[in-house]
């Protein structure tokens, strides 16, 4: 299990390959990657991600541990960036390895649902002349009731 | 104890962190003390349903005890991922 | 949309990165990778994958098209190998890109459920002195009722 | 028409593909003709619930018409992914 919180970009290809390589016991690997989306149709100058150093690592680790308890997993990886990002930049990724695809998929969705609403990150979109904090979506909170 | 603010709560109050001496027993009581200080606190804490709180880096609710706590943080709902 | 059926190995890292890179409009990328698992605890000599040339490409393309109709997707990738593979080799991958994670996850699971039971591939495990065709699992067939 | 066999059906019948001349109207009727040929066919087609069929590369069922079909394939349940 690896949980990383960093300002620097991460190499999605290398991380995904490193995670999936050399496994003889796990038949299924799922990855999720979150990418800065320009919802302002070309106007996005930056996405600023603020976090709570110390608590962030603890919260992500607790979520990953919870996933390992609920599903039969061979491994879990969580990487999340903070700082100033731009459209097309990768914000974060999770990866799960399991014997069967159901566990790998469900655990990855669980990780995403929890880290969306329970890990201390906040996003601010700088577009045109304005800068707005991204509001939490009701459906993200609702997604937690599934688990 | 240290009181931390994030995102628009930080912007509204104007500092990311401050040292607060208090005898408040709960998060709510601490919020009431802060609100009474200055308008910027009253504005930031106007609607508690729009806020979340962590005591010693654990998410909790406004009724939670803060006895012995080292660090209280206030922030809007999180938007990770 | 890209559907590839090939005997040669594929470069998971390059494929995953190529799929996720340069997207400004899609916030979510999900990948699934299937890996040859040594269920015989170290005894697996080879996993032979037979397929039905012609029908395989058609079936995979139909499944991918169906996913694009059901979910709001920016892109879909399906790669599936055939021939003689070994423990740890990557058999196949799917990738989906969508604005929101729910679409990307559901479409990837749909693709996997359908290609497990509706794409003309058959697996034979060579272990020790025996070679056995892998039996279809009832739960794979049951998974289709979800959609 | 061409008749194709895959996986253990291919192994049991002994060829991957053969040319069959038939007046059978449905897959079932074709199966009956094949079963009557030789033991290896009777063995391969002993339990139809263990088999799947594609007509011109489309999955279908044993009641399906094969009028005008160019290619019929028999195989066990698929195990992709």
């Amino acid at each position: 299990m690896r949980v990383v919180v960093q300002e620097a970009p991460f190499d999605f290809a290398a991380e995904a390959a490193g995670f999936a390589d050399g496994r003889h016991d796990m038949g299924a690997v799922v990855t999720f990657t979150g990418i800065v989306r320009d919802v302002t149709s070309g106007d996005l100058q930056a996405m600023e991600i603020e976090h709570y150093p110390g608590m962030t690592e603890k919260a992500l680790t607790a979520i990953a541990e919870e996933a390992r308890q609920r599903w039969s997993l061979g491994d879990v990886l969580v990487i999340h960036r903070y700082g100033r990002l731009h459209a097309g930049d990768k914000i974060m990724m999770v990866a799960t390895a399991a014997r069967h695809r159901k566990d790998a998929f469900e655990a990855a969705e669980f990780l995403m649902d929890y880290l969306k609403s329970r890990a201390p990150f906040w996003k601010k979109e700088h577009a045109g002349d304005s800068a707005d904090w991204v509001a939490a979506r009701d459906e993200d909170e609702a997604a937690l009731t599934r688990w | 104890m240290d009181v931390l603010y994030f995102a628009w709560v930080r912007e509204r109050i104007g500092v990311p962190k401050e040292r607060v001496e208090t005898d408040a027993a709960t998060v709510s009581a601490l919020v009431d003390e802060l609100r009474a200080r200055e308008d910027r606190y009253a504005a930031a804490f106007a609607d508690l349903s729009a806020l979340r709180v962590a005591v010693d880096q654990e998410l909790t609710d406004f009724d939670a005890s803060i006895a012995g706590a080292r660090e209280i943080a206030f922030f809007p709902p999180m938007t990770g991922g």
Side-chain angles (χ1 to χ4, degrees), chain A, chain B:
Chain A
M1 190 177 107
R2 210 170 116 237
V3 171
V4 182
V5 181
Q6 64 182 31
E7 185 160 11
F10 59 92
D11 183 340
F12 172 62
E15 294 290 351
F19 188 81
D21 277 355
R23 298 193 179 275
H24 291 204
D25 52 340
M26 296 291 135
V29 169
V30 169
T31 71
F32 177 93
T33 318
I35 298 171
V36 177
R37 189 157 67 94
D38 190 352
V39 287
T40 59
S41 36
D43 210 22
L44 185 78
Q45 283 147 11
M47 166 82 84
E48 205 184 314
I49 302 180
E50 183 170 333
H51 80 121
Y52 183 169
M55 180 173 165
T56 310
E57 292 79 358
K58 274 189 208 172
L60 293 178
T61 302
I63 294 165
E65 290 285 8
E66 173 85 14
R68 280 163 60 106
Q69 278 174 25
R70 290 194 183 208
W71 289 277
S72 175
L73 301 176
D75 202 0
V76 176
L77 168 66
V78 178
I79 302 177
H80 206 302
R81 296 181 62 193
Y82 57 88
R84 206 171 172 85
L85 281 72
H86 300 90
D89 286 354
K90 294 177 189 73
I91 307 174
M92 49 75 60
M93 72 175 285
V94 303
T96 54
R99 283 200 177 74
H100 300 293
R101 72 187 186 286
K102 192 169 183 291
D103 286 325
F105 270 122
E106 285 188 4
E109 287 180 81
F110 169 88
L111 288 170
M112 286 308 303
D113 284 349
Y114 268 83
L115 79 77
K116 272 270 168 190
S117 307
R118 292 291 182 269
F121 290 100
W122 301 275
K123 292 178 183 144
K124 192 177 196 173
E125 283 175 352
H126 296 261
D129 294 334
S130 63
D132 296 298
W133 290 100
V134 175
R137 301 192 313 162
D138 288 345
E139 59 198 278
D140 283 332
E141 189 64 32
L144 298 184
T145 60
R146 182 177 161 194
W147 309 109
Chain B
M1 66 187 62
D2 288 325
V3 180
L4 283 69
Y5 310 108
F6 292 95
W8 60 254
V9 183
R10 170 180 56 69
E11 292 176 337
R12 211 163 287 182
I13 289 178
V15 293
K17 185 175 178 174
E18 59 188 330
R19 188 87 200 153
V20 171
E21 302 304 327
T22 181
D23 295 324
T26 65
V27 175
S28 289
L30 172 63
V31 167
D32 287 339
E33 285 186 12
L34 292 170
R35 271 182 182 140
R37 280 187 169 189
E38 283 179 50
D39 281 355
R40 59 194 170 104
Y41 291 95
F45 290 108
D47 177 10
L48 290 193
S49 75
L51 293 182
R52 300 291 179 267
V53 61
V55 173
D56 288 337
Q57 305 191 350
E58 290 279 350
L59 271 182
T60 184
D61 49 50
F62 287 84
D63 297 333
S65 163
I66 56 172
R70 295 177 309 281
E71 189 172 302
I72 317 284
F74 295 101
F75 41 78
M78 293 151 277
T79 55

